[in-house]
Amino acid sequence: MAKENIVENIVWHEGHVDRSQRESLLQQRGVVVWFTGLSGSGKSTIAFTVEHALAARERLAYVLDGDNIRHGLNNNLGFSATDREENIRRIGEVSRLFADTGVVVLSSFVSPYRTDRDNVRTLLAEGDFLEVFVNTPLEVCEQRDPKGLYKKARAGEIPNFTGISDPYEAPLSPELEIHTQDLSVEAAAEQVLDLLAARGKIPAPTSAETV
Amino acid sequence: MAKENIVENIVWHEGHVDRSQRESLLQQRGVVVWFTGLSGSGKSTIAFTVEHALAARERLAYVLDGDNIRHGLNNNLGFSATDREENIRRIGEVSRLFADTGVVVLSSFVSPYRTDRDNVRTLLAEGDFLEVFVNTPLEVCEQRDPKGLYKKARAGEIPNFTGISDPYEAPLSPELEIHTQDLSVEAAAEQVLDLLAARGKIPAPTSAETV
């Protein structure tokens, strides 16, 4: 590149680089895939599987979940309705920044209240928020109980536990609803990948990539 | 790619994709460049200039500043010492997530308290936090007063204004100190780019890219 072009590129700038420039670099579009469902429904497993599949396709994705949020950004919040609201609000704002960077954000949170999820949708541009309802019945989640949380909740050791002592408000019109009972994790992840491709967020897979 | 490889790539995953995999994709390393200095010191102008220069080199960078943080994630915080601490803590946590994604984060905040900045440094892995002290004397900042804030602070219309009615604690050993009085914005930005290359965060510029 000619020297003067570079000089031109780093002259004094008052404003941000356009999101579209980052998206061109990444060959994808920023988007928030919001996985909601009961504890044990399979949200995070599906999100991780999608993350790995996107990495294999050389797409930039990032999972936000309880592990990296509740122990970090939101380590000063509990599980009251007010704290849950602030929890989801902050995650929504962070998701928005990631989407603006051009990243495919995979946000995996119980996020039981409809209003809180809808507020996140409102934060984002039209089409940038894809709500994925991981619809696994409570009985199945409780039977799986991978972290032993339901057992503790039934014993009264965990207050405000969604599905037991706190409500879960199912999405009314999610972009995708996954019935994990009828599907393998791989097939569930494929549904999310297909949604991303259909919405033009990632390139459609080549025939070799179609499982 | 063979079909079985793809199938292999999207089998059930329990954990995150490694940060190093994202960094390989991006051909850069995640890092937080933390610009600190008085209002009007030139932090954001330098950050934006660096952002544009990185975009021209096809590197993925993102500026966090008052505009996208104070009006979003931290819109429920004021300017008391406690709120400033929480403000910087949250920005630190978000910066950490971005660095983990492999992004070059350009965080531009007055961040007047040494302890708050050092706490952010502690959050991050060794070498992932590069503190850039934009050292412009108060008199110069006040003379520039691009937003008319110093005038209002002197008139008592803005309480807790750093440099006037609130302290600014200069970094003791920043990775870079920029004296904007002696430098053009371009030259200041070059110093940051050189630091990023010297620390192995971005590829060293080709000779054609050297200004």
Side-chain angles (χ1 to χ4, degrees), chain A residues 68-88:
Chain A
N68 59 18
I69 292 291
R70 279 278 183 187
H71 298 144
L73 178 65
N74 292 354
N75 64 9
N76 51 6
L77 297 174
F79 293 86
S80 68
T82 311
D83 274 12
R84 282 186 193 270
E85 180 184 347
E86 174 65 5
N87 181 51
I88 297 303

Side-chain angles (χ1 to χ4, degrees), chain A residues 17-67:
Chain A
V17 168
D18 278 350
R19 168 175 171 171
S20 61
Q21 204 171 334
R22 290 185 290 271
E23 293 179 330
S24 294
L25 173 67
L26 297 171
Q27 294 178 44
Q28 66 186 38
R29 287 176 190 279
V31 63
V32 179
V33 183
W34 191 278
F35 296 89
T36 175
L38 295 170
S39 177
S41 60
K43 296 182 301 297
S44 288
T45 305
I46 298 170
F48 285 138
T49 303
V50 171
E51 186 192 24
H52 281 269
L54 288 171
R57 294 183 188 183
E58 303 200 317
R59 303 275 72 85
L60 186 65
Y62 195 70
V63 173
L64 297 177
D65 65 3
D67 279 347

Side-chain angles (χ1 to χ4, degrees), chain B residues 19-20 22-24 26-33 59-61 95-106 124-130 196 199-202:
Chain B
R19 168 174 170 173
S20 61
R22 289 185 290 271
E23 293 180 330
S24 293
L26 296 171
Q27 295 179 41
Q28 65 185 39
R29 286 176 190 279
V31 63
V32 179
V33 183
R59 303 276 70 84
L60 185 66
S95 297
R96 187 166 67 99
L97 294 170
F98 270 98
D100 192 42
T101 308
V103 177
V104 175
V105 191
L106 306 167
L124 287 147
E126 179 78 27
D128 278 5
F129 181 82
L130 303 177
L196 286 169
R199 298 298 175 104
K201 300 300 182 181
I202 58 172

Side-chain angles (χ1 to χ4, degrees), chain A residues 10 45 52-53 62 73 89 100, chain B residues 10 12 15 53 62 73 89 100:
Chain A
I10 56 166
T45 305
H52 281 269
Y62 195 70
L73 178 65
R89 188 194 71 80
D100 192 43
Chain B
I10 55 166
W12 185 334
Y62 195 71
L73 178 65
R89 189 195 70 80
D100 192 42

Side-chain angles (χ1 to χ4, degrees), chain A residues 80-81 84-85 110-118 166-167 169:
Chain A
S80 68
R84 282 186 193 270
E85 180 184 347
V110 176
S111 49
Y113 302 135
R114 202 171 287 139
T115 307
D116 296 347
R117 296 191 306 267
D118 287 349
D166 237 33
E169 300 172 358

Side-chain angles (χ1 to χ4, degrees), chain B:
Chain B
M1 197 185 279
K3 194 177 169 187
E4 55 271 31
N5 286 343
I6 289 292
V7 174
E8 201 171 277
N9 281 329
I10 55 166
V11 293
W12 185 334
H13 281 283
E14 296 277 352
H16 286 275
V17 168
D18 278 351
R19 168 174 170 173
S20 61
Q21 204 171 334
R22 289 185 290 271
E23 293 180 330
S24 293
L25 173 68
L26 296 171
Q27 295 179 41
Q28 65 185 39
R29 286 176 190 279
V31 63
V32 179
V33 183
W34 191 278
F35 296 89
T36 173
L38 296 170
S39 176
S41 60
K43 296 181 301 299
S44 287
T45 304
I46 298 169
F48 286 137
T49 304
V50 171
E51 186 192 27
H52 280 268
L54 286 171
R57 293 183 188 185
E58 303 200 319
R59 303 276 70 84
L60 185 66
Y62 195 71
V63 174
L64 297 177
D65 66 1
D67 279 346
N68 57 20
I69 291 291
R70 278 279 184 189
H71 297 144
L73 178 65
N74 293 353
N75 64 9
N76 51 5
L77 297 173
F79 293 87
S80 68
T82 311
D83 274 11
R84 283 186 192 273
E85 182 185 345
E86 174 66 5
N87 180 52
I88 297 304
R89 189 195 70 80
R90 288 187 200 168
I91 295 162
E93 293 285 359
V94 171
S95 297
R96 187 166 67 99
L97 294 170
F98 270 98
D100 192 42
T101 308
V103 177
V104 175
V105 191
L106 306 167
S107 293
S108 173
F109 297 93
V110 175
S111 48
Y113 302 135
R114 201 173 288 138
T115 308
D116 295 347
R117 295 192 305 267
D118 288 348
N119 285 342
V120 177
R121 185 186 289 275
T122 308
L123 279 182
L124 287 147
E126 179 78 27
D128 278 5
F129 181 82
L130 303 177
E131 192 173 20
V132 176
F133 177 25
V134 183
N135 188 359
T136 308
L138 176 62
E139 312 80 70
V140 177
C141 296
E142 191 164 358
Q143 199 168 17
R144 290 177 185 169
D145 205 8
K147 300 174 191 167
L149 298 175
Y150 284 97
K151 201 176 170 190
K152 286 186 184 172
R154 289 286 182 198
E157 293 167 29
I158 307 177
N160 306 124
F161 195 81
T162 300
I164 305 297
S165 47
D166 237 33
Y168 178 81
E169 300 171 357
L172 298 178
S173 49
E175 274 73 9
L176 179 63
E177 182 168 342
I178 298 177
H179 296 273
T180 61
Q181 291 178 281
D182 312 329
L183 288 174
S184 67
V185 175
E186 293 83 353
E190 277 292 313
Q191 292 192 350
V192 179
L193 293 167
D194 289 349
L195 175 67
L196 286 169
R199 298 298 175 104
K201 300 300 182 181
I202 58 172
T206 62
S207 58
E209 285 178 333
T210 310
V211 180

